[in-house]
Amino acid sequence: EAKKMILLEFNSLVLAETINQRLQKDGAKSYTHVVLCDFDGCTYDVTTVESNKTALIISISWPAFQNLKAFGVENRLKTIYGPLVVAPAAGFDFSLQIDTVHPPAKAEEVVKNISLLKRHAFASVFHAAFEALDGKGSVPDLITIPYRRSEALYIKKTDGNRVIVIF
């Protein structure tokens, strides 16, 4: 009997579906507030602004985010999301905003990219480590990123042209 393998996506499918449902309502002016929790302590909050119900705010709170700040996570996300970036909602690490009446061009791609928010945040530490290898910055010899309650990711620089990643 063949074993079945579980394929995990890099993005949050539920987050993408939540945003898409809101966009498919043609910018309906009803109130939306959805909280999504992930297995690693990450929380997404999708809500409309009380004063402008066509503005959809997508926020992330993730314990690992604070450690990622040392590796440029905020600048990396600003580069990826550009004009969608807004000040973080209270109690959250990072926020994006979409106008549901006038969604961005290529909305489907934008929503897919938003659903990769945690992945893009996590990638910032790898970008910093690889840039340090190229002589474009510096990182500690051993980077520790606690990304779950009792688990951490370690990135160790080598003397050569590689890093060692330990989960």
Side-chain angles (χ1 to χ4, degrees):
E1 179 178 318
K3 300 271 181 180
K4 292 186 180 183
M5 189 166 138
I6 297 173
L7 298 176
L8 298 175
E9 299 287 335
F10 293 112
N11 64 321
S12 171
L13 294 174
V14 177
L15 179 60
E17 288 175 13
T18 301
I19 298 167
N20 277 325
Q21 285 175 357
R22 180 66 188 192
L23 292 177
Q24 290 171 0
K25 291 183 178 180
D26 298 321
K29 295 182 180 183
S30 60
Y31 182 72
T32 298
H33 188 205
V34 178
V35 177
L36 309 168
C37 298
D38 214 338
F39 63 93
D40 57 2
C42 180
T43 301
Y44 296 100
D45 184 80
V46 181
T47 189
T48 48
V49 177
E50 190 61 39
S51 60
N52 176 6
K53 290 188 177 61
T54 64
L56 189 65
I57 304 290
I58 301 99
S59 300
I60 184 172
S61 174
W62 186 29
F65 200 93
Q66 295 306 312
N67 294 325
L68 295 172
K69 284 184 177 182
F71 303 100
V73 66
E74 292 167 313
N75 287 336
R76 180 95 184 123
L77 294 177
K78 286 176 184 175
T79 299
I80 293 168
Y81 295 108
L84 299 179
V85 177
V86 294
F92 288 87
D93 299 306
F94 195 81
S95 294
L96 303 169
Q97 179 175 315
I98 294 180
D99 184 333
T100 59
V101 173
H102 305 289
K106 300 182 181 177
E108 189 173 304
E109 289 178 30
V110 171
V111 170
K112 170 77 174 192
N113 202 24
I114 291 171
S115 73
L116 289 164
L117 181 57
K118 182 172 62 172
R119 179 252 175 240
H120 291 317
F122 206 21
S124 65
V125 69
F126 291 97
H127 283 278
F130 297 142
E131 286 176 356
L133 285 178
D134 286 341
K136 299 176 186 169
S138 65
V139 294
D141 289 340
L142 180 65
I143 300 169
T144 304
I145 303 293
Y147 68 98
R148 290 188 191 153
R149 208 171 279 145
S150 59
E151 294 181 46
L153 164 86
Y154 303 92
I155 300 176
K156 180 161 178 39
K157 285 188 346 185
T158 65
D159 293 333
N161 61 353
R162 66 183 133 217
V163 296
I164 299 170
V165 179
I166 306 161
F167 281 91

